[in-house]
Amino acid sequence: NAGVMQNPRHLVRRRGQEARLRCSPMKGHSHVYWYRQLPEEGLKFMVYLQKENIIDESGMPKERFSAEFPKEGPSILRIQQVVRGDSAAYFCASSPIDSNYGYTFGSGTRLTVV
Amino acid sequence: GENVEQHPSTLSVQEGDSAVIKCTYSDSASNYFPWYKQELGKRPQLIIDIRSNVGEKKDQRIAVTLNKTAKHFSLHITETQPEDSAVYFCAASRWAEYGNKLVFGAGTILRVKS
């Protein structure tokens, strides 16, 4: 049973470009969470999604950031018109609908904006 | 919303000594408290968690205690080893009510000197 899969592992974008980060949850998991970790800082919640639904996006910046978790395929975190301050590690986690356990993080995507 | 504070920010111990990391939380409705270990450049990994219906949980050299009245919880690592060196994060959430959105502390850099 593969863990939470994120790709790409490293992503370099020039200022103004778009970044697309993908997350495939563990098999059978219907909940996906995205967190951002700035260099030498803790993890900050961004968004929580179920299939085809955004449940909580209270941590998402109001502009340029969006997330989706379609019926088929991975969850996508999209950052438009990236700026240097978007450089960070973005971690995805997944859990089943009625888990009694903590969730597992993917290996993350390290975004560098140049 | 929930706010989690973590202390100390850095901790150096001699191999074989114990290490204690403390966290406080603000939301009295929080009921789930995991601890994650993150090695440099890697994903955060769940090492132990505790729910609000218990006061202590132990797993080999690692233990977590919870004081609901004071709203604080602590991680205890005994007989520390060099491989325990990492960044440790505490977190809090209202499990199940809000889909387990975790609020993380800022992290503690633990250095175990051999």
Side-chain angles (χ1 to χ4, degrees):
Chain A
N1 186 11
V4 179
M5 304 299 292
Q6 288 188 251
N7 65 82
R9 291 293 303 275
H10 300 275
L11 182 61
V12 179
R13 284 286 177 266
R14 296 186 184 280
R15 282 178 293 172
Q17 290 185 319
E18 178 179 289
R20 280 180 178 250
L21 289 62
R22 287 175 290 278
C23 169
S24 295
M26 291 179 69
K27 187 177 180 181
H29 286 193
S30 57
H31 295 201
V32 165
Y33 308 81
W34 285 94
Y35 287 78
R36 176 165 65 175
Q37 186 174 35
L38 295 170
E40 299 186 5
E41 290 191 16
L43 294 107
K44 302 294 185 185
F45 170 80
M46 298 183 75
V47 62
Y48 157 45
L49 310 103
Q50 295 176 11
K51 288 280 188 182
E52 300 182 283
N53 276 310
I54 296 175
I55 306 302
D56 183 344
E57 57 180 347
S58 57
M60 289 279 271
K62 292 289 184 279
E63 299 177 348
R64 302 187 297 109
F65 285 72
S66 63
E68 63 176 6
F69 189 15
K71 187 176 181 181
E72 301 291 338
S75 175
I76 305 289
L77 179 67
R78 181 184 178 202
I79 311 172
Q80 296 178 291
Q81 300 173 340
V82 296
V83 300
R84 289 228 170 101
D86 297 332
S87 295
Y90 292 82
F91 289 97
C92 167
S94 72
S95 72
I97 193 166
D98 57 355
S99 171
N100 282 319
Y101 301 96
Y103 48 61
T104 301
F105 284 97
S107 297
T109 293
R110 281 152 185 83
L111 172 65
T112 302
V113 180
V114 297
Chain B
E2 175 66 280
N3 182 51
V4 177
E5 295 192 355
Q6 184 171 345
H7 300 280
S9 56
T10 59
L11 179 59
S12 291
V13 299
Q14 204 65 35
E15 182 178 359
D17 287 350
S18 295
V20 180
I21 302 170
K22 299 180 179 181
C23 289
T24 60
Y25 61 99
S26 61
D27 185 355
S28 56
S30 287
N31 56 10
Y32 176 68
F33 308 93
W35 286 88
Y36 285 83
K37 174 184 179 182
Q38 187 178 31
E39 296 175 354
L40 188 63
K42 297 194 175 179
R43 76 183 78 189
Q45 291 193 297
L46 178 69
I47 56 172
I48 196 167
D49 57 12
I50 192 167
R51 298 183 187 281
S52 58
N53 57 347
V54 298
E56 185 173 357
K57 184 177 178 180
K58 190 173 181 180
D59 182 5
Q60 299 183 340
R61 295 186 298 108
I62 294 173
V64 58
T65 59
L66 171 65
N67 183 327
K68 286 178 59 180
T69 303
K71 290 191 282 188
H72 67 69
F73 56 113
S74 300
L75 177 71
H76 304 253
I77 305 174
T78 58
E79 301 173 17
T80 53
Q81 300 166 4
E83 50 266 39
D84 294 329
S85 296
V87 182
Y88 291 81
F89 293 97
C90 63
S93 78
R94 296 186 192 184
W95 184 269
E97 181 177 348
Y98 292 139
N100 198 28
K101 162 186 166 182
L102 292 177
V103 178
F104 283 85
T108 296
I109 301 171
L110 174 63
R111 297 191 183 93
V112 180
K113 297 175 286 187
S114 56

